[in-house]
Amino acid sequence: MQVKETDMLIVGFILFLIGSGIHIFEPDRIINPSGAGGAFIGAGVALFLVTLREIRLKNKGNVVEDERILHIAEKTSHKTLVILIILEGILMALLGVTAFDIQAYPVVSLLFAITMLSYAGFYYWYKRQM
């Protein structure tokens, strides 16, 4: 196992511990402890599982990362960034012109969901095209 995989496993475990701590202690400064804790736990578990999958594939002799995968991720990131810039520009224009009193949590959650879904969609689309 390489240093990169070890570091990723450690970071995943730390994220899981942070999420568990938020759930257990429920600090007053956090508005939604179950949402924040669940996000950290989910991120930690996902990072841990993805890293374990990469280690398993490398041990079998499969190529986990090559130039094609890096090129696909590069194009995918660019398209996702363009979409987010457009959405954030529209959101800023709407908030600047209108007198909406919007809370940040739902807006940031929606932008996060759009980011993840557009990245995953573009990744699989480019993977089929290339």
Side-chain angles (χ1 to χ4, degrees):
M1 189 164 40
Q2 295 179 344
V3 174
K4 177 186 168 190
E5 283 99 12
T6 305
D7 292 345
M8 297 302 276
L9 289 173
I10 291 170
V11 169
F13 186 68
I14 289 172
L15 288 173
F16 178 80
L17 289 178
I18 290 171
S20 299
I22 290 173
H23 268 297
I24 292 170
F25 298 115
E26 293 185 3
D28 292 335
R29 64 185 172 274
I30 296 177
I31 296 169
N32 185 0
S34 43
F40 277 106
I41 290 172
V45 169
L47 186 61
F48 201 82
L49 292 176
V50 166
T51 305
L52 287 178
R53 180 180 176 270
E54 285 183 12
I55 292 170
R56 186 176 55 87
L57 288 174
K58 281 184 182 178
N59 288 340
K60 285 185 176 181
N62 293 346
V63 176
V64 177
E65 196 171 87
D66 60 358
E67 291 83 17
R68 178 180 167 267
I69 298 295
L70 292 175
H71 186 65
I72 290 170
E74 193 176 271
K75 289 183 81 159
T76 301
S77 298
H78 181 263
K79 285 291 186 189
T80 304
L81 179 66
V82 167
I83 287 173
L84 279 179
I85 288 172
I86 292 169
L87 287 176
E88 290 171 358
I90 292 170
L91 182 63
M92 289 297 292
L94 286 174
L95 292 175
V97 172
T98 61
F100 286 133
D101 186 23
I102 298 176
Q103 292 187 1
Y105 189 76
V107 174
V108 172
S109 299
L110 180 63
L111 286 174
F112 181 74
I114 290 170
T115 303
M116 298 310 299
L117 292 174
S118 64
Y119 186 87
F122 280 124
Y123 186 85
Y124 288 111
W125 186 73
Y126 280 125
K127 194 171 182 178
R128 280 193 317 241
Q129 301 292 0
M130 300 175 93

